[in-house]
Amino acid sequence: MKKVSESVFVCTNCGNEFSKWSGQCSACKEWNCIKEVKSLGKSIKGRRSRKSLGESKEIKKLSGMAIESKDSTSVFTTNIGEFDRVLGKGIVRGQVVLFGGEPGIGKSTLLTQLLGKIGGLYVAGEETAEQIGLRVQRLGLDKEKFDILETNSVDDVEEILERTNNVFKIAVVDSIQMMISDMEGSGAPGSISQIKQSTFRLVEIAKKTGMAIFIVGHVTKEGDIAGPKMLEHMVDTVLYFEGERSGELRILRVDKNRFGPTDEVGVFRMEEKGLREISSEEVSLIDSKVPQIGSTISMVMEGTRPLLVEIQALVTESFSQMPKRIFSGIDFNRGQLLVAVAQKILGIPLYKEDVFVSVSGGIKISDPGCDLAVVGAIYSSYKNKVIKSAKGNSSPVLIGEVSLLGQVRRVKMAEKRAKEIKSLGKEMLTIDSIKGLKELI
Ligand code: TYD
Ligand code: MG
């Protein structure tokens, strides 16, 4: 067994542990992410061995076991349509959900709204009961639904559940960065060892009691805190709440899910009285009403949900040896590739230009269906002319994956997108090569 004083080196990105420090994590290849922490083997191991001393383990025969079917008694709805869609059908008994997002994005707000619908225990590690009370009031929720435990100790959570005979269907732990699991254990709240241990014990509690637990985890852009990445394998489901803090739109995305799909998204809008679910017709990620230079519109599928997005590009003469390539909302390598294809097939000298591309609304697109719109926006900005639909003065919707040869490929769920575009009164552009863009300008 490890000595208590022994240190381990933990990658803050993926959570792998090493016996010595190095500049790069050999598991996830990230640089400068390895930090020294005191050994955390101690108390987890201690607890484990106690348990195995007390109750001797037996092999379980599946044939003799009563297994609850997932969709009968063990799943319950959140009463928030977009939330249910992302989780699969709803919350499963004993499910542990890691709820990640940048500070201030609305994690506490959405989970308060969730408790307002179904009731449960709010473990407040960051705020006081009064602060939560004020939020409940602001959101116009039923105070009766809330039981608040002000603590940052997992021991307290365990004790309260025992004392109340666990009457709660769900608990929200806000946030994991504030929790400690073992007073004498290593590290302050927020340290990697405390975060890992606390999560480990919360998972144990959920599995033992059948209560579902939502664990809030802050993620920073730099990712230098003990990120949800290293907790991923411990929990059943990982959700991310995304969006631009300055904007109103929020996207709930599922990254891992033992009980449901992993490609669904839920869309909300942050309003004066909390987060409101919004339908696809209402989602307007479009900043410019009329066609503009350097702007195109595309329809991407996020899960089964179509979203109309605007792509903006700025192409300007570069004064540096290495022209800038900056993409926000699309993958960097994909962006580089599209710039190269545009240069070759459309014959424009982008090697002399800085290229900036961004997706409106602060969302990240993984659907290659927006390729054509990216190329279109770059071309429009380079030419300093707008892309207009053949009839009228509106922006056409550009959809298609662009191949290395500049061909425009058909995308998945093409019919669904076409129907949606029609219902929004927009026109879809169909071309089979990006060369077709030349005729639109
Ligand atoms: P919050 O849920 O506290 O963020 P997180 O828990 O992810 O850190 O949300 C904070 C922001 O949301 C804050 O800037 C105020 C805003 N907000 C509203 O716009 N409307 C509301 O009804 C509430 C409760 C918050
Ligand atoms: Mg919060």
Side-chain angles (χ1 to χ4, degrees), residues 104 107-109 122 126-127 135 174 216 218:
K107 301 182 292 300
S108 304
T109 307
Y122 200 115
E126 290 185 1
E127 296 162 297
R135 184 160 65 238
D174 192 358
V216 173
H218 295 293

Side-chain angles (χ1 to χ4, degrees), residues 215-253:
I215 303 177
V216 173
H218 295 293
V219 192
T220 60
K221 278 222 167 89
E222 301 76 40
D224 65 347
I225 50 156
K229 275 259 171 292
M230 66 178 216
L231 304 177
E232 256 167 28
H233 62 281
M234 287 194 229
V235 300
D236 301 307
T237 305
V238 179
L239 303 181
Y240 281 106
F241 208 33
E242 301 174 347
E244 248 170 43
R245 254 168 76 178
S246 51
E248 292 179 325
L249 203 81
R250 299 286 182 272
I251 302 223
L252 185 61
R253 199 185 284 282

Side-chain angles (χ1 to χ4, degrees), residues 404-422:
L404 292 180
L405 308 181
Q407 300 138 330
V408 178
R409 294 203 178 118
R410 212 179 129 80
V411 290
K412 61 170 184 155
M413 293 192 250
E415 288 79 27
K416 185 161 183 177
R417 297 192 215 215
K419 233 166 81 190
E420 189 76 21
I421 290 168
K422 212 166 158 201

